[in-house]
Amino acid sequence: MLCATSLAACSPTSVFAMENGLSPATAAAAHADDKNRTRSKNRIASHIDFKSATTGVAAKAMRNELNALVQKIDDPQVKRAFESEMHSFFLLFNRYLSEKAKGQKLQWDRVKPPAPEQVVAYKSLKDAKDSSILNKLAVLKLNGGLGTTMGCVGPKSVIEVRDGMTFLDLSVRQIEHLNSAYDVNVPLILMNSFNTDDDTNRVIQKYANHNIEIMTFNQSRYPRVNKETLLPVPRSATDKAGWYPPGHGDLFDALSNSGLLDKLLEQGKEYIFVSNSDNLGAVTDLNILQHMMESQSEFIMEVTDKTKADVKGGTLIDYEGSIRLLEVAQVPSDHIEDFKSVRKFQIFNTNSLWMDLRAIKRVMETEGTDLEIIVNNKVADNGEAVIQLETAVGAAIKHFKNAHGINVPRSRFLPVKSCSDLLLITSDLYQLEHGQLVMNPARMFLTTPIVKLGDHFKKVSQYQKRFKSIPSMLELDHLTVSGDVTFGRNVVLRGVVILVTDAKIDLPDGTILENKLVSGSLTILEH
């Protein structure tokens, strides 16, 4: 087809037809599609530009607010430390805005269970022969949490859990025994939060004459962010309700900024064993330390087999050939059931981690830790909707060489998160040896019973009033208690025991319950 006028004067459709050898009708339809695609691209570009502009405004506003908070501090040393924390927070906040604008999400089809070489069986580890390697080790307990969920005041680590001893007492006793038995010097380090630091430093004075060196440092404090304005909630550094500890992923920044990382390296320490202060199974293990040294691994995560009670626990995955930690908060909502599947993901993270201090130093001085952000939505006491940006320490596994998991026995995972857990570890199921809980040899099964106590047992003070003494649970498989139930002295529980009432159940001294379901209102009388 030829135009009667010059090519420049032809209609766009005519030019499109000539260039592509199409009939006028086909060219008109194709040209319309092309214009629609262009409009769509422009809309997408406009949307991205809008998000980018909004992100830039929010980041600038946040930076100005943080600078204003810094300027309110007079003490030069305190100001420097606070400014460093605010810088770290701003980097995290900026990354949050960027990821939100881009809509970056986990590609579920790329998530695979870990490859066999990425998780080593604990039973395959060689027995350690040289105990002197312990001199290269430091033990760190994550000590930032409060005991509020169990109705206690102050740091969770000072709750009495066994034979009048607290979590902290047991940790000190374990390491003190280690130092004496092997003639080594393993220090205990406590990573406190601004919520626990004062109380912890008062408590540890009682260990002054013990064979153990105790060091403390504080994790960062970050400002809560208003969900609507994306501005910091606190108006000053002393406005305690507006701040939060940003999860244990902050360990790397806090350890480095405090100067403690350099101090440990100067003392000849090369490795650090990190665990939650409330995990009574997380004890120093020579075989794991030796394996770490021989395999030249810079990061080892202890994992254990998943049960129905652990389906929400983070798990190791293979993501495009790289080992990663996957937390439930990162999982797309339509794949939550896949994540919970015991068949697909058979292990979960115990948060007991072994790391190379020299490698931490290298990572912090070069790339830094780019940990996945966990957005924790909260409601402040005044009803204000806020967000807390947090990270998990285990997510750093992707930054380290030869990193892998070790599938450890369940005995190395004994957390106390509730009064149900407290009942287990105070019962005759366990014995105490040098601060370490070990399964009673009289227990016929290696598995731990499932214990579920209802709301009447939620707080420690309530729990203590309902047991005249802790029942014998050596032969127990499952215990569920719901309602107003009290236990007398020397009660024995065997098999599956379920006590459910909307009234009251009193179990007198010496009661033996074996495979029993008790419901309704009941008072068992002695006779």
Side-chain angles (χ1 to χ4, degrees):
M1 173 183 174
L2 295 174
C3 284
T5 56
S6 68
L7 187 63
C10 288
S11 71
T13 303
S14 300
V15 174
F16 191 80
M18 283 190 293
E19 288 177 345
N20 293 278
L22 303 174
S23 70
T26 305
H31 188 58
D33 286 344
D34 193 50
K35 284 198 292 184
N36 287 336
R37 280 194 296 272
T38 302
R39 287 193 197 102
S40 177
K41 285 179 182 177
N42 288 338
R43 279 197 300 271
I44 292 170
S46 175
H47 182 60
I48 291 172
D49 288 344
F50 174 77
K51 281 193 170 184
S52 298
T54 305
T55 296
V57 169
K60 185 177 180 180
M62 174 61 78
R63 186 176 61 235
N64 291 339
E65 292 281 332
L66 296 177
N67 286 340
L69 287 170
V70 170
Q71 294 311 313
K72 290 180 181 179
I73 298 175
D74 295 324
D75 185 297
Q77 189 173 351
V78 174
K79 190 173 186 175
R80 270 196 306 274
F82 183 71
E83 190 171 18
S84 178
E85 286 182 338
M86 293 307 95
H87 176 69
S88 296
F89 169 75
F90 181 71
L91 293 178
L92 183 68
F93 178 75
N94 217 19
R95 191 155 57 87
Y96 161 72
L97 291 177
S98 176
E99 291 176 7
K100 189 178 178 184
K102 293 176 183 175
Q104 290 179 339
K105 288 185 179 178
L106 187 79
Q107 300 298 311
W108 189 255
D109 58 339
R110 300 177 186 177
V111 174
K112 310 294 181 191
E117 66 273 11
Q118 291 174 326
V119 179
V120 175
Y122 178 82
K123 61 185 179 183
S124 71
L125 303 186
K126 293 187 293 186
D127 290 335
K129 302 246 184 338
D130 182 11
S131 60
S132 68
I133 60 175
L134 287 168
N135 280 313
K136 297 182 179 182
L137 181 70
V139 172
L140 187 150
K141 295 291 182 182
L142 301 170
N143 189 49
L146 295 169
T148 48
T149 55
M150 294 174 68
C152 298
V153 178
K156 187 176 182 181
S157 60
V158 299
I159 297 175
E160 285 190 10
V161 287
R162 179 85 190 211
D163 298 349
M165 288 189 287
T166 66
F167 290 107
L168 194 51
D169 290 336
L170 294 174
S171 294
V172 168
R173 194 167 175 181
Q174 288 168 18
I175 297 177
E176 190 175 26
H177 171 70
L178 201 68
N179 288 338
S180 299
Y182 295 108
D183 191 25
V184 291
N185 178 26
V186 177
L188 173 64
I189 304 166
L190 303 174
M191 185 172 87
N192 302 330
S193 69
F194 63 87
N195 290 319
T196 63
D197 189 53
D198 288 344
D199 289 336
T200 299
N201 282 313
R202 277 195 294 271
V203 168
I204 62 175
Q205 292 176 24
K206 68 179 183 179
Y207 307 122
N209 295 323
H210 289 241
N211 182 24
I212 185 173
E213 180 186 6
I214 301 179
M215 310 178 202
T216 66
F217 70 105
N218 270 14
Q219 68 179 114
S220 304
R221 55 173 171 167
Y222 285 175
R224 287 176 156 185
V225 177
N226 182 285
K227 194 171 183 178
E228 296 301 321
T229 66
L230 293 180
L231 293 174
V233 170
R235 306 316 303 158
S236 72
T238 55
D239 180 10
K240 201 168 183 179
W243 301 88
Y244 70 97
H248 38 62
D250 177 58
L251 180 147
F252 302 100
D253 275 329
L255 191 64
S256 183
N257 292 339
S258 68
L260 193 53
L261 176 59
D262 288 332
K263 180 179 178 179
L264 291 171
L265 289 169
E266 288 167 7
Q267 290 181 351
K269 305 303 177 187
E270 297 178 14
Y271 304 95
I272 192 163
F273 172 42
V274 178
S275 65
N276 295 338
S277 65
D278 64 0
N279 181 4
L280 296 177
V283 296
T284 304
D285 189 292
L286 256 173
N287 294 346
I288 295 179
L289 179 59
Q290 177 179 271
H291 167 77
M292 185 175 195
M293 296 171 73
E294 290 181 351
S295 63
Q296 296 184 323
S297 172
E298 294 181 346
F299 193 112
I300 287 176
M301 175 184 291
E302 292 189 34
V303 297
T304 195
D305 291 341
K306 188 189 286 188
T307 68
K308 289 182 179 179
D310 315 306
V311 292
K312 290 186 177 180
T315 188
L316 282 180
I317 61 168
D318 183 300
Y319 195 76
E320 298 182 319
S322 174
I323 192 166
R324 299 282 183 92
L325 173 66
L326 178 64
E327 298 280 5
V328 66
Q330 300 165 244
V331 179
S333 56
D334 51 339
H335 291 290
I336 291 292
E337 292 308 311
D338 289 344
F339 175 80
K340 291 180 178 179
S341 170
V342 179
R343 288 199 184 105
K344 184 169 185 178
F345 300 111
Q346 299 174 352
I347 55 174
F348 72 97
N349 170 29
T350 67
N351 213 41
S352 294
L353 309 166
W354 300 73
M355 294 180 276
D356 187 312
L357 289 166
R358 297 156 299 181
I360 293 176
K361 176 80 170 173
R362 184 195 72 238
V363 168
M364 295 308 293
E365 288 184 344
T366 53
E367 59 193 290
T369 53
D370 184 16
L371 309 183
E372 286 74 17
I373 299 171
I374 300 167
V375 181
N376 196 347
N377 291 287
K378 297 271 188 179
V379 177
D381 292 340
N382 63 359
E384 183 180 6
V386 300
I387 58 173
Q388 297 180 179
L389 304 180
E390 302 176 6
T391 56
V393 62
I397 192 169
K398 64 185 179 182
H399 289 289
F400 293 90
K401 298 173 184 176
N402 298 325
H404 58 273
I406 294 181
N407 193 346
V408 299
R410 188 78 184 199
S411 58
R412 289 190 58 78
F413 184 65
L414 285 176
V416 181
K417 305 292 184 187
S418 66
C419 289
S420 299
D421 298 328
L422 192 59
L423 180 61
L424 276 172
I425 59 103
T426 53
S427 74
D428 56 357
L429 284 165
Y430 295 98
Q431 296 176 341
L432 199 58
E433 296 179 4
H434 307 298
Q436 179 178 351
L437 288 181
V438 294
M439 184 70 78
N440 190 330
R443 168 82 172 168
M444 295 178 65
F445 315 103
L446 294 177
T447 55
T448 305
I450 294 172
V451 173
K452 297 179 180 179
L453 301 180
D455 288 344
H456 285 73
F457 298 80
K458 194 170 185 179
K459 307 297 184 185
V460 171
S461 57
Q462 298 170 320
Y463 162 90
Q464 289 172 336
K465 289 175 183 175
R466 294 185 174 276
F467 292 97
K468 287 185 180 177
S469 71
I470 301 300
S472 172
M473 297 164 59
L474 273 176
E475 298 178 50
L476 181 71
D477 296 320
H478 182 114
L479 172 67
T480 293
V481 183
S482 178
D484 186 0
V485 181
T486 56
F487 292 75
R489 288 184 175 83
N490 303 318
V491 171
V492 178
L493 305 174
R494 296 174 181 155
V496 177
V497 177
I498 300 175
L499 306 171
V500 181
T501 180
D502 54 5
K504 186 174 178 61
I505 296 176
D506 289 312
L507 301 177
D509 298 352
T511 299
I512 298 176
L513 294 177
E514 183 171 0
N515 295 322
K516 294 291 188 216
L517 167 61
V518 180
S519 62
S521 177
L522 178 68
T523 300
I524 301 177
L525 301 175
E526 295 178 275
H527 59 277

